[in-house]
Amino acid sequence: SDVYGARNSMVSADDVYITVDEGAVVTESVIGGTSTSHTEKWSLADGYDTDKKHYTANSNIHVLFNGEGRVDDTKLYSCRIYGGGVFGGVTGNINVTVNGHAEYVYGGSSSDDVTGNIDITINGGVYTGGHNADMELGEVSTWFGGTVTSSCARGTVTGNITTTINKDAEVHALIGGSDDGSVVGNINVHVYGKILKKNHENSDRF
C-alpha cells in the first residue's frame, strides 16, 4: 500500500530514487523523502518534536511513478504521491514524474519545508475520487482529489518550482505553489494537457 524513501529516520545521500513500475498497484502513498507517520492517520512518530528537524532528507529525490490504483467493483483506490516527506523536510532538489494514475501529487512535503528546486512532470492522470474513497465511480459533483500541488501541503519551499502538464495528461486542479504554505522562489506552470472539473470537459479550473 505504501512506498517510502525512509521511515522514522534521516537520509543523507547524494540521491534517492523511488520507481514504481508499470503494472504495479499502490493504493495509499508514494513518499520520496522521509515519513514519521506510524498510523493510517498520519500521526507523528513517538518522540518527534515539530520544533526540531529530526527526519530531513539531505538528498536529491527522484520519484518516477508508472503505476496505477485499483478498481474494486464500483470503487476506485489510488495513491497520493509526495516528492518530499510526511512530517519530514528535504534539503535537495526534487524531481517527480507521473506517467500512471494517482489521486494527489505534492511536489514537496506534507508538513515540513523544502530547500531546493522542484520539477514536476505529469504525463498520465491525476483524478478525483481515489484514496480509498467511499464514493461511486463517476460521482464527481462532490469531487475531491485530482489535484497537483507543486509545492507543499503545509510548509515553505525555498527554491524554484516548475510544473508541466503534458499534452496527453489530465488533472482536475493545479496549484503552482503551496496549498497552505509559502514559496520563496519562482513558479513556472506549463499546461499542454487538460484541466478537468466536475463534468470533465464542461468546465476548466487551474
Side-chain angles (χ1 to χ4, degrees), residues 28-51:
E28 290 288 341
S29 300
V30 175
I31 300 165
T34 66
S35 171
T36 67
S37 173
H38 62 148
T39 73
E40 294 179 357
K41 301 300 182 183
W42 295 120
S43 66
L44 294 174
D46 293 339
Y48 181 83
D49 184 346
T50 56
D51 294 328

Side-chain angles (χ1 to χ4, degrees), residues 165 171-176 189-191 194-196 204-206:
I165 310 298
V171 306
H172 277 83
L174 170 60
I175 301 170
V189 176
H190 308 278
V191 178
K194 292 181 179 179
I195 308 293
L196 310 171
D204 295 336
R205 169 182 182 253
F206 98 86

Side-chain angles (χ1 to χ4, degrees), residues 153-187:
R154 290 171 298 279
T156 298
V157 172
T158 303
N160 300 321
I161 303 173
T162 301
T163 306
T164 303
I165 310 298
N166 274 328
K167 181 178 178 181
D168 295 327
E170 296 180 333
V171 306
H172 277 83
L174 170 60
I175 301 170
S178 287
D179 191 2
D180 186 13
S182 57
V183 177
V184 182
N186 299 315
I187 295 174

Side-chain angles (χ1 to χ4, degrees), residues 4-18 31-35 53-62 84-85 88-92:
Y4 297 96
R7 189 172 179 179
N8 296 341
S9 62
M10 293 184 68
V11 174
S12 185
D14 289 340
D15 296 276
V16 173
Y17 292 91
I18 304 292
I31 300 165
T34 66
S35 171
K53 301 299 181 182
H54 289 235
Y55 300 115
T56 300
N58 297 302
S59 309
N60 297 318
I61 297 175
H62 313 266
V90 176
T91 299

